[in-house]
Amino acid sequence: METYTQSLSDTKEMAGSNAKFVPADLIDSTFKSQYIDLISAPLGSSILSFSDEWFAAATNLITPTPPVRKPGVFTHAGAWYDGWETRRHNQEPADWVVIRLGVASGKIAGVEIDTAFFNGNHAPEIAIEGTFSTDGDEVKKKAYSGWEVVLSKQKCGPSQRHAWLLEKLSDKPYTHVRLLMFPDGGIARFRLYGVAVPVFPESAEEIFELSAAVMGGVAISCSDQHFGTKDNLLLPGRGKDMGDGWETKRTRGPHVDWAIVRLGAKGEVDHIVIDTAHFRGNFPQKIQVFAGEFEQDPKHDDTDWVEILEPQKSGPDKEHEYREELKDVKGKKYTHMKLIIIPDGGVKRFRVFGKRI
């Protein structure tokens, strides 16, 4: 069986330019309207194993919120850091973390490594490997031999966001990735951008969540996301507070905010759930939904949008289900949905249920 050290040697040999560097100010626009973070903790991702986490825990890598700093705060191991930090003087070629994707599997488009607040103790270089496996216990072992290079070795600098766009979306889907840090140091956040490769129901008549991020749904654009991002709308569960929903800034006078979702599969809509969990004094006054069948991602003012839910009065901290209220959905196939909130506010989840057509 191939050893751990041999695998790292292969990574070194393959190091080259298999990706394009993305400047920090272009990271969000490059990835966040087309892809999801396949290893975000709220999506269900998990840390399976790691080489070391002496100074700061590996679980911090997949925290969805930006890293924070606490100057002067110390733990028994040393200064407190919001990230993953290993001991000095690693005797192996690299430290590593094995992560299970939060989706059944996913194809990878790019990688982000944030070394925020790690300065003088940051990771000098990184690489990413991937594998497809149904055996998580085997993957997390040090001697697992199924890894292949996703992103060859790349240099990192102190306290900054780094990102790389792969030459193309990976040909094959992966279930697990391994982050390699040469030789040791600290990383605040790790993002793995790509598309979910879902496992659809066998029966074409089965109702499932067409919009879910784990089924390939993507929130592609919105009017505003001042307090909470549009991407949160498609996550599993009901979240833990207002911070993991979509929330726009306060407005004055007549106004509407909107978010557009590309469904994971074209389908016929059966019902819609709009959840305002944790939004108690800042929920939208009304909610409206439009749908459309598009070859390419539409603009919010595209003339082909069809209203399927007339404005409905909303309420605080509640799941609102709409079934009988829907119109123009029977026998119709749609690829995109547009959620409108009137005039502004916060929504935790936007769930569109239906069957594939």
Side-chain angles (χ1 to χ4, degrees), residues 10 35 48 73 94 117 127 146 195 280:
D10 290 343
Y35 307 108
L48 296 188
V73 176
F117 310 120
V195 297
R280 301 181 180 94

Side-chain angles (χ1 to χ4, degrees), residues 16-31:
S17 179
N18 67 332
K20 176 184 177 182
F21 182 76
V22 179
D25 61 344
L26 297 179
I27 293 175
D28 290 348
S29 60
T30 299
F31 295 111

Side-chain angles (χ1 to χ4, degrees), residues 294-314:
F294 300 96
E295 293 295 328
Q296 297 180 333
D297 290 337
K299 303 294 185 182
H300 76 95
D301 56 355
D302 195 295
T303 56
D304 289 332
W305 286 112
V306 176
E307 184 186 54
I308 63 170
L309 180 68
E310 296 178 348
Q312 306 286 319
K313 185 172 176 56
S314 177

Side-chain angles (χ1 to χ4, degrees), residues 163-181:
W164 299 270
L165 176 67
L166 301 187
E167 290 179 339
K168 61 177 182 177
L169 194 67
S170 62
D171 292 327
K172 61 174 65 174
Y174 297 99
T175 56
H176 301 75
V177 291
R178 181 166 70 165
L179 167 62
L180 304 171
M181 175 168 62

